[in-house]
Amino acid sequence: MTKPRIEPSGQKHNSPSEVAIPFPAPLKPGNLAELFQAEESAILGFAMGLVGRRSVAEELVQEAFLRLHRIWEQVENPRGWLYRSLRNLALNYIRDHSRETVTDTIE
């Protein structure tokens, strides 16, 4: 029995025990609302992992979706674009707020 190997390029391998299975083309949801419903939780978790603060993560996710909305018709892979855009927004935030610290007030 051959052992399948997922390969994005779809190229065949020299080894007889491996079979290349190409990835399907990314599917574009019908509209932004569908993408939001499908990705909201996952992308918020991704943003939280990058910036560490829920309020900041929510703002960055909102900004990424707004930017995607502006160019929706031009984007072939909106999910990939959204994650890349969010990553860039998070890195910009971290760079611009590197000296900011969160402090708890004790009363």
Side-chain angles (χ1 to χ4, degrees):
M1 176 174 247
T2 61
K3 179 178 161 186
R5 179 175 174 189
I6 299 173
E7 190 67 37
S9 66
Q11 295 178 348
K12 293 183 180 179
H13 300 280
N14 295 332
S15 172
S17 66
E18 295 180 352
V19 177
I21 302 171
F23 286 120
L27 299 175
K28 184 171 182 175
N31 59 41
L32 190 62
E34 289 178 15
L35 181 64
F36 181 78
Q37 290 295 322
E39 297 296 327
E40 178 189 17
S41 299
I43 201 161
L44 183 58
F46 177 69
M48 280 283 299
L50 293 171
V51 296
R53 293 174 57 190
R54 184 174 182 90
S55 61
V56 173
E58 289 172 349
E59 289 180 25
L60 295 177
V61 168
Q62 180 179 8
E63 179 63 26
F65 271 102
L66 286 172
R67 289 181 180 191
L68 178 58
H69 180 263
R70 290 184 204 129
I71 60 168
W72 179 258
E73 296 300 322
Q74 301 167 11
V75 176
E76 290 182 28
N77 180 0
R79 183 178 183 271
W81 187 96
L82 192 62
Y83 275 88
R84 177 57 60 101
S85 177
L86 181 60
R87 177 186 151 273
N88 291 341
L89 287 167
L91 292 175
N92 289 343
Y93 176 85
I94 291 166
R95 180 195 64 218
D96 296 343
H97 297 87
S98 62
R99 295 178 187 248
E100 208 175 85
T101 59
V102 177
T103 58
D104 292 331
T105 57
I106 300 174
E107 295 179 19

